[in-house]
Each structure stands twice: as structure tokens, then as C-alpha cells.
Amino acid sequence: MTTARPVNPPTESAGPAAPFRLPDIPERHPDDMTSFKHLSATGIVHHLAQYLGHPDTTLVTGERYVVVRPTRSLAGSHYPDLLVAFHVDPAAYEERNGYVIDEMGKPPDFILEVGSRYTARTDLNEKKDYCEGLRVGEYWLFDSQGEFYGFTLRGYRLAEDRHEPIPVDEISPGAFQGHSPALGLNLRAEAGVLGLHDPATGEHIPTFESQTARAETAEARVSELEAELRRLREGR
């Protein structure tokens, strides 16, 4: 007779199991680095996060999977270049290493893809349909030169169960602009660069450069006023 070996009971020090985390996205193909060039390297993600504020409830991120529920099978799932979601829990996003709609309580409000030779076909077809099926609020496509998509800027907004085009106008030769109701900003593609502009003022949202320039201008103005005050005192 064969005697089964006893199974050792779990020790009290084992603790609770770690929460399931979605896997990291696949390593980027060399032809698929345009998102870094146009989003990370320009600082647009940081600028947008600072502009929107509320970091405890507003998520500005990208390059992690968006799924309906926790799953180990990611067949047919996709990850965006840029994602924005309001009134969600960023800590839960970090814990899952991705956006789980059932846990967040809502789909993302805004997704943007940057065209590349490697991803253009997927962005225009499978990923667009995927985001529509998930009921993502807005889906935008940007291609700095129109080389991969065949256009520079295009946007879609969820209307009932389908994504409908958002008007994009050529505001000057080679410059295209569309309004994002989700962000409350105008997306402008000009000279191969994507910018985010306040529709009330037409100005770009604050950046490192604009804040530095504004501070330098204010400092120069203070110096002028101090010099003028000294002249007035010396003239008495």
C-alpha cells in the first residue's frame, strides 16, 4: 500500500496572497517609438496632469492594458499611448498594473494614439473598435506628418453606443485643431507637434518653458519698478 505524504498546513507567516497584476506590455518595436517622442519627450503628459490637477481622483497615464475585468488571457486586449480618466482610483490602477473597468467603475474618458509604422493599422481598426466596445468617452489619433494614418489629427466621441467623429478644422496651412469635450481643451497639431490649448484664451496649457518665461518676465518687471522707485526717491 502506498501512503500519501502529509500536506504541510500553511504557516501563519505566509500572509495574504498578493493581488493579481496584469502583465507589462510587450517590449516596444524600434518603429513604435513615436509615442515617446511626441508625448513623453515633449512633457505633454506631465503638463496635462498638472493642468487637470486632482491627482487623487484623476488618472493621466498610458502604455498599460485596459480590460473589462482582471484576466490572465489578454488575447484581443490593447493598451493606449495616453489615457485620461476622471473620478477614479489611481492607486487601484497601480495595484493592478492596468485599467480594470469593473473595478474603476467606468471606462476611460479619453484615449490618444500616436501613429507609427508598426501600429497604424491596429490603431485605425482593431484598437478603435476595441475602445468603442469598451465605451471609451473619446478616442483620438495623432500622426505628426500624416505619414502613417493618412491624416494628422482625428477624434471620435461616444454617442450612445458608437463613436462619432469630432470636427477637426485646418485653422492655418498645415495646422489642425479639434476640441475635446472630455478634457475641455483644444488639441492642435502644428509643425509636427501636438499641443493642448485653452479654448478661452487660445494659449497652450502651462509648460516648463512658459512658466519659466512668465517668471522671468515678472522678475524683470519687478526690477524695472524698483529702479523707477529709486529714481523717484533720488529726484526728491
Side-chain angles (χ1 to χ4, degrees):
M1 181 177 68
T2 302
T3 303
R5 290 181 297 175
V7 177
N8 295 325
T11 61
E12 294 183 1
S13 61
F20 170 73
R21 288 173 57 84
L22 295 169
D24 293 335
I25 65 172
E27 185 177 351
R28 287 284 192 178
H29 188 279
D31 290 342
D32 185 23
M33 295 303 292
T34 53
S35 62
F36 174 84
K37 176 182 177 182
H38 293 288
L39 297 179
S40 298
T42 62
I44 193 171
V45 176
H46 175 78
H47 301 150
L48 179 59
Q50 294 295 307
Y51 177 83
L52 294 176
H54 306 289
D56 292 339
T57 58
T58 299
L59 189 62
V60 182
T61 185
E63 298 190 347
R64 296 188 192 180
Y65 284 103
V66 178
V67 296
V68 175
R69 60 189 60 85
T71 176
R72 297 186 185 277
S73 175
L74 292 170
S77 301
H78 295 279
Y79 45 89
D81 290 330
L82 175 61
L83 177 153
V84 178
F86 301 101
H87 309 298
V88 295
D89 183 3
Y93 174 84
E94 292 296 333
E95 186 176 38
R96 286 294 191 191
N97 194 39
Y99 195 101
V100 180
I101 293 175
D102 279 357
E103 295 180 350
M104 290 294 189
K106 56 177 287 189
D109 294 285
F110 176 98
I111 278 178
L112 170 77
E113 298 297 337
V114 178
S116 73
R117 189 181 311 280
Y118 190 68
T119 65
R121 185 183 297 275
T122 300
D123 295 346
L124 291 168
N125 297 286
E126 292 95 332
K127 191 175 287 188
K128 178 179 179 298
D129 293 343
Y130 184 72
C131 289
E132 183 180 78
L134 295 180
R135 299 181 62 80
V136 171
E138 289 181 14
Y139 183 74
W140 286 83
L141 297 153
F142 165 69
D143 182 348
S144 62
Q145 305 299 325
E147 176 183 5
F148 308 115
Y149 291 152
F151 55 83
T152 303
L153 183 67
R154 187 170 292 178
Y156 299 89
R157 186 181 184 187
L158 190 69
E160 296 183 355
D161 294 327
R162 296 186 60 81
H163 275 151
E164 300 292 341
I166 293 175
V168 172
D169 301 315
E170 188 170 12
I171 58 175
S172 64
F176 299 88
Q177 179 172 281
H179 180 70
S180 165
L183 302 182
L185 295 170
N186 292 335
L187 277 70
R188 184 182 302 174
E190 186 173 15
V193 177
L194 179 66
L196 300 171
H197 296 253
D198 185 336
T201 64
E203 295 183 357
H204 197 286
I205 63 174
T207 64
F208 301 127
E209 292 78 8
S210 67
Q211 293 291 78
T212 299
R214 186 171 300 175
E216 290 174 349
T217 299
E219 185 177 349
R221 180 57 179 158
V222 169
S223 297
E224 290 175 1
L225 292 173
E226 289 175 343
E228 181 66 21
L229 182 60
R230 285 195 298 270
R231 285 194 295 269
L232 290 173
R233 288 173 175 173
E234 291 169 358
R236 290 177 180 178

